[in-house]
Amino acid sequence: MERNQKNKNKHRNKQNDDSLNYYKRIDDILRSSGDEDGNLLNDEFLDNVFSQLEEEAVVVCQSPEISPIIEKLLTKGSARHAQSLIDVLSKDWSSICRHKCSSHVLQKILMVLPKFINQKVMSFDYENEVKDDSVEGSLIRTVLELIRFMTENIEDSVSDAHISHIFRALLQVVGGTCVGEKVLKSRTSRNYGKNFKTDDGEDVAFAKAITFTNYEVPTVFRNHLKKFYKEIFALENFGVYLTDTNGSPVIQTLLLVLHKVDLDLCQRVIHKVIKASRIEDTAESVNIPPVASDSVGSFLVELIVSLSSEKMYKELFKKLFKGKLLQFATHPCANFVLQKLIKNCPDTDTFLAVQEELNECMLDVLTAQYNGVLVALAATCETLQCGQEQFLQMILKCFDSENKDRQEKLVQLLATLTPYDNFMQASEPVLRKVNYHGSLLLQHMLRFSDTQCLTSSLENLEPAELLTLSCDPCGSHVIDTAFQSTSVEEKTKEALLNKFKDHFITLACDKNGSRTLESIWKNVSLKQKILIATCLCIQEDRIRSDRIGFHIHRNFALFHFKKRRKDWVSIQQNDQRRRKMFQDVLDTDEPSKKKKKGMFKKQKT
């Protein structure tokens, strides 16, 4: 008896190994095809694979090793292939949706469906579903079946770890709009796509990150979307889901879809969420509402702030934020909500009120090291073109630089986010490394209308400090902005170039420095380009043989500069003319862009 059982297990394991090896070979073919749209894979190959898949769909889709390969296959298959797979899976929605692997496969099917049904969905006969026997019609029927399953199991659809992400995909399909990466569960998920890379640069999140083009949906779909909204809000413990790791992303998805589909309904839903979260109950309290200070709920509050109408935004500011900005700014989660509030200020009056309250407590915010709040203020000062002088005075006060002689070190202080006395107490008070938020702060301030205080400090940097700034991963963007900004005078750019004179070769051979040098090149005159090229040609062989400098040698056409100067000058002049024409077009459009930024969000839909 034991021997028979061992033989059966051995046979089963061999079958599993054979199946895994088969799909691994398929995965190798998918990788080597090198085409994300699948154009290099012929129909016969895909037909064979999906034919095999259909026979063992449930087992294969529930395999941790194979299911990611199936997800990739779906992005390359046709409507017929998607239909053959979802037909098998639809025989038992409950077990498929609740499984940790097959649920991801079903989610992927939903995300690829819109490109197959978008032409058919408006003409489909929803009163007599069985009448349409086309592949697209079959896919639409399956979507309607899944809608019925989700509606009948609405509590699980919101709260279950696996069903909820299928439900989020379904909301997007029913709403005809893809929300992409706007829905977040944690702070680390903000950079999910950046973090998951293999050694050869392949994005392992590729199978999960698919998006679809928004499409028009019929009234039937919109009615189902409204029904979902009513069912969710009718849940007895709805308030709990606002801070739930599964429920909160579902509500975020619903809001984002409704914002595209029905703006008025979206505002009503936002109002109901605010009521359920009891934000309004804390109007007289000095404490932050629990939902805004929660590591999950704070994402929902951020989204509410960004999607609210101007009227609702002002109500939120008055009831939730006013008088509590210090508490928000110094809280590990709520400070992100405050940043969103600042960046979405609809008018100058509201922003100035926010700025005035924060001016009084910014030193405490910086001491708590929540520097994103300071960057958000600078960004909105730049966008709304107001409060810039007050912001500068606040910066000078916070960094102990109100005296004129201390302002010479302002760039170093902001780049390192260090007060003057602390910076000068170092054994060598020079710029060595640039802080991420310090870099962002400098970039925004260099686009202010008056940059004299900063540019004077830039001109006072030692050449070695300027080189450090240019070769730093964060600091290099500061130099980019200095040369791109229309607020920075030409004499400042000229002074910076002269300080670079002995360091152009070092810049050209540095990973970040070479990118900075290319940015400078695009924003200087022909005379200045000749200066740069002349300095580089002193050690042309070194630059040409360097793996990074090689690109500078090619992009700056240094060979032609030395051998065919006249042709080189002609090419550079033509390139500058093209850039000027393009900039003139952008400048013409700029007033209308600025006007839109202050308008109610309804204009964006």
Side-chain angles (χ1 to χ4, degrees):
M1 189 74 176
E2 286 182 10
R3 186 181 297 174
N4 288 339
Q5 186 62 41
K6 283 181 180 179
N7 288 337
K8 283 182 182 179
N9 289 340
K10 189 175 180 181
H11 179 66
R12 190 180 296 115
N13 290 337
K14 187 177 185 307
Q15 278 187 320
N16 290 342
D17 289 342
D18 289 344
S19 185
L20 179 58
N21 289 333
Y22 171 75
Y23 286 103
K24 279 186 175 179
R25 289 197 299 274
I26 298 300
D27 191 33
D28 290 338
I29 294 170
L30 294 177
R31 291 170 186 269
S32 62
S33 71
D35 181 23
E36 290 184 4
D37 295 324
N39 296 331
L40 300 182
L41 298 174
N42 59 50
D43 290 339
E44 187 179 354
F45 167 79
L46 289 169
D47 287 344
N48 290 336
V49 174
F50 276 94
S51 177
Q52 172 68 27
L53 177 58
E54 196 174 346
E55 297 174 10
E56 52 186 6
V58 175
V59 175
V60 166
C61 289
Q62 291 182 343
S63 165
E65 296 91 352
I66 302 174
S67 59
I69 301 171
I70 306 306
E71 292 184 51
K72 284 186 182 181
L73 265 172
L74 285 163
T75 63
K76 298 171 180 286
S78 65
R80 183 164 41 84
H81 299 136
Q83 187 253 338
S84 68
L85 181 56
I86 200 171
D87 271 359
V88 177
L89 300 182
S90 65
K91 291 173 183 174
D92 187 0
W93 286 127
S94 185
S95 63
I96 294 298
C97 291
R98 285 179 167 82
H99 193 274
K100 64 180 180 180
C101 297
S102 58
S103 58
H104 284 290
V105 175
L106 181 55
Q107 180 191 20
K108 179 52 57 69
I109 295 174
L110 288 174
M111 295 305 284
V112 299
L113 279 189
K115 70 178 180 182
F116 302 137
I117 66 172
N118 58 6
Q119 300 295 323
K120 183 78 175 179
V121 73
M122 295 300 290
S123 59
F124 183 77
D125 187 351
Y126 292 94
E127 292 184 2
N128 188 9
E129 296 175 15
V130 294
K131 187 177 179 181
D132 193 329
D133 59 355
S134 66
V135 173
E136 293 79 7
S138 177
L139 287 171
I140 294 171
R141 279 198 300 276
T142 308
V143 169
L144 294 171
E145 287 175 22
L146 186 56
I147 287 172
R148 285 189 279 271
F149 171 79
M150 291 292 183
T151 306
E152 291 166 5
N153 299 273
I154 193 66
E155 190 161 0
D156 285 343
S157 299
V158 176
S159 62
D160 186 87
H162 304 303
I163 302 180
S164 62
H165 60 75
I166 297 173
F167 189 37
R168 280 157 44 201
L170 186 62
L171 287 172
Q172 294 173 69
V173 173
V174 173
T177 181
C178 184
V179 302
E181 299 299 314
K182 295 177 184 176
V183 176
L184 301 169
K185 285 187 176 184
S186 66
R187 299 293 157 196
T188 54
S189 64
R190 288 188 190 274
N191 297 313
Y192 180 84
K194 297 177 186 176
N195 295 336
F196 289 82
K197 299 279 184 179
T198 57
D199 293 337
D200 59 357
E202 182 187 357
D203 187 353
V204 298
F206 160 66
K208 298 175 183 284
I210 188 170
T211 58
F212 61 80
T213 305
N214 296 351
Y215 65 102
E216 188 179 358
V217 293
T219 305
V220 172
F221 274 27
R222 295 197 178 198
N223 289 340
H224 281 302
L225 189 62
K226 290 178 182 178
K227 189 174 181 182
F228 278 143
Y229 140 66
K230 290 177 182 177
E231 293 283 347
I232 291 170
F233 277 78
L235 289 171
E236 187 177 350
N237 54 347
F238 171 75
V240 174
Y241 298 122
L242 299 179
T243 55
D244 180 69
T245 52
N246 301 313
S248 181
V250 168
I251 299 167
Q252 289 179 56
T253 304
L254 178 66
L255 287 174
L256 286 163
V257 172
L258 287 176
H259 189 253
K260 291 286 185 181
V261 174
D262 189 336
L263 192 59
D264 291 333
L265 179 59
C266 178
Q267 297 304 310
R268 293 202 298 274
V269 174
I270 287 174
H271 185 73
K272 288 199 171 189
V273 173
I274 291 172
K275 193 172 181 180
S277 64
R278 304 187 67 180
I279 286 174
E280 294 175 333
D281 296 353
T282 62
E284 303 303 321
S285 171
V286 294
N287 298 319
I288 304 171
V291 67
S293 59
D294 184 81
S295 59
V296 175
S298 59
F299 288 113
L300 182 58
V301 183
E302 281 186 55
L303 188 64
I304 287 171
V305 168
S306 64
L307 298 183
S308 291
S309 66
E310 186 172 337
K311 180 182 177 183
M312 191 170 290
Y313 177 99
K314 289 181 177 179
E315 286 180 12
L316 266 177
F317 173 65
K318 184 179 177 181
K319 293 179 179 179
L320 175 60
F321 294 95
K322 196 172 182 180
K324 308 173 194 172
L325 296 190
L326 177 59
Q327 288 93 318
F328 272 91
T330 54
H331 189 279
C333 295
N335 83 88
F336 289 99
V337 179
L338 178 58
Q339 289 179 46
K340 187 67 71 173
L341 176 91
I342 295 168
K343 289 178 180 177
N344 283 273
C345 273
D347 60 76
T348 56
D349 291 339
T350 307
F351 173 67
L352 291 174
V354 171
Q355 188 182 37
E356 185 179 353
E357 185 175 336
L358 282 172
N359 279 355
E360 298 173 4
C361 61
M362 187 52 69
L363 202 54
D364 295 322
V365 178
L366 291 174
T367 303
Q369 294 189 341
Y370 293 114
N371 305 315
V373 176
L374 185 65
V375 174
L377 272 177
T380 311
C381 280
E382 179 202 336
T383 305
L384 296 180
Q385 291 289 302
C386 71
Q388 294 179 1
E389 180 59 33
Q390 297 94 310
F391 182 83
L392 178 60
Q393 294 307 316
M394 178 193 70
I395 287 289
L396 296 177
K397 182 180 178 182
C398 288
F399 288 87
D400 301 328
S401 302
E402 291 176 286
N403 294 339
K404 197 77 174 173
D405 57 334
R406 291 189 170 200
Q407 291 171 19
E408 290 183 359
K409 295 285 184 182
L410 187 58
V411 167
Q412 292 99 316
L413 304 183
L414 298 186
T416 57
L417 289 182
T418 309
Y420 182 87
D421 291 334
N422 293 5
F423 185 80
M424 296 306 290
Q425 283 170 8
S427 55
E428 289 184 71
V430 293
L431 182 63
R432 295 194 178 280
K433 188 162 180 64
V434 180
N435 179 284
Y436 169 73
H437 287 105
S439 171
L440 292 176
L441 181 61
L442 282 167
Q443 290 173 57
H444 290 302
M445 291 182 70
L446 282 168
R447 297 190 193 100
F448 283 5
S449 54
D450 182 2
T451 60
Q452 188 175 356
C453 194
L454 271 183
T455 53
S456 297
S457 179
L458 264 177
E459 291 178 32
N460 280 313
L461 284 174
E462 294 295 326
E465 289 182 300
L466 203 56
L467 184 65
T468 298
L469 194 63
S470 303
C471 295
D472 186 274
C474 298
S476 59
H477 297 289
V478 176
I479 301 298
D480 294 350
T481 306
F483 278 88
Q484 292 165 7
S485 175
T486 54
S487 301
V488 178
E489 295 180 359
E490 285 302 316
K491 69 179 185 67
T492 299
K493 297 175 185 178
E494 189 80 41
L496 293 177
L497 276 178
N498 288 331
K499 289 201 172 190
F500 275 126
K501 212 168 185 178
D502 298 327
H503 299 286
F504 282 129
I505 292 166
T506 306
L507 282 176
C509 298
D510 181 85
K511 181 182 176 182
N512 295 301
S514 62
R515 193 196 57 76
T516 305
L517 187 56
E518 289 204 59
S519 180
I520 291 171
W521 183 268
K522 292 173 184 175
N523 294 282
V524 294
S525 64
L526 178 60
K527 178 186 173 184
Q528 292 164 335
K529 284 183 179 180
I530 291 172
L531 168 69
I532 296 170
T534 304
C535 293
L536 291 173
C537 282
I538 294 171
Q539 295 189 43
E540 185 194 357
D541 291 342
R542 178 189 164 187
I543 293 171
R544 188 175 60 240
S545 60
D546 186 88
R547 67 184 184 86
I548 295 171
F550 168 79
H551 299 287
I552 292 292
H553 186 276
R554 181 193 60 200
N555 295 342
F556 290 8
L558 296 183
F559 175 81
H560 294 288
F561 176 77
K562 283 186 73 175
K563 305 294 183 182
R564 303 188 184 113
R565 179 72 64 90
K566 194 174 180 181
D567 293 340
W568 183 90
V569 169
S570 177
I571 291 168
Q572 299 304 323
Q573 285 175 332
N574 290 335
D575 185 53
Q576 271 191 316
R577 274 196 290 270
R578 282 196 300 272
R579 289 182 188 279
K580 189 176 185 305
M581 286 172 61
F582 183 66
Q583 188 59 48
D584 288 343
V585 172
L586 291 179
D587 291 342
T588 304
D589 291 342
E590 194 172 344
S592 59
K593 285 182 181 178
K594 284 182 181 177
K595 185 179 178 182
K596 285 181 181 179
K597 284 182 180 178
M599 294 175 73
F600 170 38
K601 298 238 180 0
K602 189 170 184 177
Q603 301 298 325
K604 296 182 182 179
T605 58

